[in-house]
Amino acid sequence: MHIDSLAPSSLNRFTLPQEEGRHGATFSLPLADLQGHWTPRYAWPQFFLPWNLTVEASAQSDYPVLVFVNTQGICRGLVGLSQLKRESRLVAKMNQEKGTYDITVETLPSAEPVELVVDCRPIPWMEALNQWRNGLTGSRPMVPQEAWHPVFCTWYAVHGAVEEQWVEENARLGADLGMGTLIVDDGWCYDEAKRVSPDTIGDWYEHVGDWELSSRKFPDFSRHVERIHHMGMKYLLWVAPFLVGRKSRHFREMPQSLLPGEFHEGYRLLNPASPQADVMLQRMGRLLRQTPIDGLKVDFLDQIEPSWENPTSDHVLSFVERLHQTILQERPQALVEFRQSYATPGMLPYATQFRAGDVPFDFLANFRNMSLIRLAIGEGTPVHADPVYWAPGESLTNISRHLVASLLGVPMLSMDLTKLSSQEREIMAFWLEFYRQNLTTYQRGRWSLRPLGSQAGYALLTAQDAPSLAILQEPALLPELLDQMQKGDFLLNLSGSPLPISGGEILFRPEPGMGQGGVPAGGAARL
């Protein structure tokens, strides 16, 4: 299908016919007043114009949208497809003779009509993206209240050396600080106690694939979980159903169930189209049935990458749907965490919370990644921070900035709580209490994100009949932000500089005496 012309400054919609085994269309966008582009892989627009630009999407990776912008952040053309379940491809090629991007969109056949949206209205690009996303058909899960509770995750703090006593000691301290969920990450399903390092990562996942508890690390798992429950915390276990390690029983007994390929970090990938794939689903169900856990952290669903030449999306999505059914059959109120790389509109029905990608030590990347998830899934579903984790000897100011960054969503932490100083505990306690006091605002509010270059300048959360909450990363945007805020609103300083305000109340200083006359770095104020 060729589209000869688009209505300028208008929202264009087309139903794509099926031709030669796919739905597709070609058309051109003028390059006038067009200086940047955005795809689901970017947190913010990239202000350069590549000669060739491609977006490939599938059920388990990204989503089919491409946005062109000018330097003021005004949309100069959003291109989006409604097909989220099968492979799609959007290709833009610069036509230097005509001064256009010549664009081809195509997707594999679908039982449902495939709609192409080309939004040429001169509106802010994030508004255009939000409207496109909100116009997609699809369901959102019923989100349990517990999905909004702060989380303690074992991963960075102890890696694969996790064991029962350590978990309970840290869970008790986490519960005292107000955390409501415990995630026991990788390490529970094999006896070896190990930490991630350049020397160990090469065969890290060689034991996974059978998903059976290590009785050496957890000698009485059911009673252990009950003790965690008595602390007031929900209990999740990490699983990666597509990963099969070379030392697993599954690999020895069912090598034919795996995709072709070499071992990577000790594992190969399950073939979701294999008849033996149901064995893995049965193990997930058995884990929930035989233990009193409350849900699963489901990792690495993106490892089976989309391919236009050898489509995999149908099989991956079928596996995810059956996994979802298996979980709900055993735990109708289960908590299910998905990771950022498959935090997409198409995956919304299958998880209760979506977590930012792995960024140990890097709170600015955590803030950016959470922003990216918000652009993908919108409001109403909890966005979880990657576990806050700082290096030994980190300054109190930067520790506080770690916590501030995590408050773009649900805070998650992964420090050994038994080894923290009293000052570190005080910082954690303040910000976790701040989050709990403003929980209703998080649940019913709406975030406005202001990009600046390749980063988030600030994020503003507003809800009716509740104080607004702003997180500022770029001090130069303070006057603009204050113009949008009112008396009683909260200002959180993610930047490394004090923020001068007048008439406000400083609520928190990471270090005593700092930031006199303004909001200190890592601090908070009420206007």
Side-chain angles (χ1 to χ4, degrees):
M1 171 182 177
H2 179 70
I3 301 169
D4 292 324
S5 62
L6 300 169
S9 302
S10 300
L11 180 63
N12 299 265
R13 296 181 181 275
F14 308 92
T15 299
L16 301 186
Q18 182 175 333
E19 300 173 347
E20 298 180 357
R22 64 191 63 185
H23 302 274
T26 60
F27 57 95
S28 295
L29 276 176
L31 277 159
D33 192 30
L34 192 161
Q35 293 92 40
H37 67 282
W38 180 88
T39 80
R41 290 292 176 102
Y42 303 146
W44 307 116
Q46 307 295 295
F47 286 99
F48 68 95
L49 301 179
W51 290 9
N52 297 287
L53 179 61
T54 299
V55 174
E56 292 186 335
S58 67
Q60 73 271 26
S61 180
D62 291 332
Y63 47 104
V65 67
L66 171 62
V67 187
F68 296 99
V69 300
N70 66 14
T71 52
Q72 286 73 47
I74 300 301
C75 177
R76 303 304 298 161
L78 175 148
V79 181
L81 291 172
S82 64
Q83 170 66 279
L84 302 177
K85 296 182 178 181
R86 306 199 71 191
E87 278 78 3
S88 298
R89 182 163 60 185
L90 290 67
V91 179
K93 296 184 177 182
M94 185 181 293
N95 188 322
Q96 298 179 48
E97 177 186 1
K98 296 180 179 179
T100 61
Y101 265 127
D102 294 344
I103 298 176
T104 300
V105 300
E106 51 188 346
T107 185
L108 295 178
S110 171
E112 301 173 353
V114 176
E115 182 183 64
L116 166 67
V117 168
V118 185
D119 192 345
C120 298
R121 294 173 297 167
I123 61 177
W125 73 273
M126 280 187 284
E127 182 179 338
L129 179 63
N130 288 339
Q131 291 186 23
W132 171 81
R133 185 196 59 236
N134 292 338
L136 298 171
T137 59
S139 62
R140 288 178 178 265
M142 294 295 294
V143 178
Q145 178 72 14
E146 293 82 3
W148 296 95
H149 290 175
V151 180
F152 179 80
C153 176
T154 63
W155 176 240
Y156 293 133
V158 73
H159 293 142
V162 64
E163 53 84 27
E164 182 176 292
Q165 182 177 353
W166 186 94
V167 170
E168 292 186 21
E169 290 175 353
N170 278 270
R172 187 172 294 106
L173 293 170
D176 291 343
L177 287 167
M179 300 181 206
T181 298
L182 167 71
I183 296 178
V184 173
D185 214 296
D186 187 8
W188 61 267
C189 58
Y190 48 81
D191 291 340
E192 183 181 2
K194 56 183 179 178
R195 295 298 306 265
V196 171
S197 73
D199 295 328
T200 62
I201 195 63
D203 290 314
W204 183 266
Y205 297 103
E206 62 184 359
H207 295 288
V208 304
D210 300 326
W211 308 112
E212 296 175 349
L213 282 151
S214 166
S215 58
R216 179 181 299 174
K217 293 178 177 179
F218 297 94
D220 192 343
F221 186 73
S222 291
R223 289 194 176 183
H224 159 70
V225 176
E226 290 172 3
R227 289 192 289 271
I228 301 297
H229 284 162
H230 288 155
M231 299 173 194
M233 301 184 81
K234 296 294 183 179
Y235 199 116
L236 276 65
L237 284 176
W238 171 87
V239 294
F242 286 157
L243 271 56
V244 177
R246 71 169 86 236
K247 292 186 177 179
S248 68
R249 188 176 66 252
H250 185 109
F251 175 69
R252 293 194 303 271
E253 297 177 356
M254 288 178 279
Q256 72 277 12
S257 70
L258 306 181
L259 291 169
E262 301 296 323
F263 283 98
H264 173 69
E265 296 182 356
Y267 72 86
R268 282 176 51 191
L269 291 169
L270 181 74
N271 181 356
S274 166
Q276 288 84 12
D278 280 348
V279 172
M280 200 63 72
L281 296 173
Q282 292 165 11
R283 290 179 185 141
M284 301 295 107
R286 181 189 63 200
L287 188 61
L288 290 160
R289 187 166 53 254
Q290 295 182 351
T291 69
I293 62 173
D294 303 290
L296 298 173
K297 169 182 175 174
V298 184
D299 217 347
F300 293 117
L301 294 181
D302 57 330
Q303 292 301 292
I304 301 176
E305 297 181 353
S307 170
W308 189 257
E309 291 72 23
N310 183 27
T312 59
S313 189
D314 285 350
H315 300 306
V316 171
L317 184 60
S318 174
F319 184 94
V320 171
E321 289 174 339
R322 286 179 288 144
L323 174 63
H324 178 68
Q325 294 165 3
T326 298
I327 293 172
L328 293 187
Q329 182 176 347
E330 301 296 338
R331 292 285 187 282
Q333 296 298 314
L335 299 175
V336 180
E337 180 196 282
F338 280 7
R339 190 156 57 147
Q340 176 167 356
S341 46
Y342 39 101
T344 69
M347 284 291 176
L348 272 172
Y350 310 115
T352 59
Q353 56 229 53
F354 292 86
R355 175 184 61 83
D358 293 25
V359 285
F361 312 113
D362 192 343
F363 58 83
L364 296 181
N366 211 359
F367 190 65
R368 180 176 63 248
N369 286 347
M370 295 168 76
S371 301
L372 192 56
I373 297 176
R374 292 201 170 281
L375 293 174
I377 68 173
E379 308 296 346
T381 300
V383 174
H384 285 214
D386 188 51
V388 170
Y389 182 68
W390 58 83
E394 184 61 275
S395 70
L396 296 180
T397 293
N398 282 341
I399 290 171
S400 191
R401 293 170 76 194
H402 271 281
L403 273 295
V404 170
S406 77
L407 291 178
L408 187 56
V410 181
M412 185 185 303
L413 295 97
S414 187
M415 300 295 296
D416 188 335
L417 302 181
T418 67
K419 297 179 179 179
L420 296 184
S421 68
S422 59
Q423 295 98 322
E424 289 172 312
R425 289 176 187 272
E426 289 172 6
I427 291 172
M428 293 175 64
F430 173 82
W431 288 117
L432 291 173
E433 178 61 22
F434 179 90
Y435 172 80
R436 288 195 301 275
Q437 289 178 353
N438 292 279
L439 181 56
T440 56
T441 306
Y442 275 89
Q443 291 175 321
R444 68 188 192 198
R446 180 176 180 180
W447 285 99
S448 300
L449 304 171
R450 169 66 153 88
L452 184 68
S454 62
Q455 64 184 11
Y458 63 72
L460 176 64
L461 176 64
T462 56
Q464 190 174 6
D465 301 323
S468 296
L469 184 159
I471 304 174
L472 181 66
Q473 180 178 343
E474 176 47 61
L477 297 177
L478 179 61
E480 174 186 320
L481 179 59
L482 292 177
D483 284 344
Q484 302 178 57
M485 301 179 71
Q486 300 178 1
K487 182 179 179 180
D489 290 348
F490 298 104
L491 175 62
L492 282 55
N493 187 0
L494 181 60
S495 82
S497 306
L499 302 175
I501 62 171
S502 59
E505 174 192 3
I506 306 300
L507 300 177
F508 183 69
R509 293 184 173 89
E511 301 183 45
M514 68 179 300
Q516 299 297 329
V519 187
R526 191 197 309 269
L527 302 184

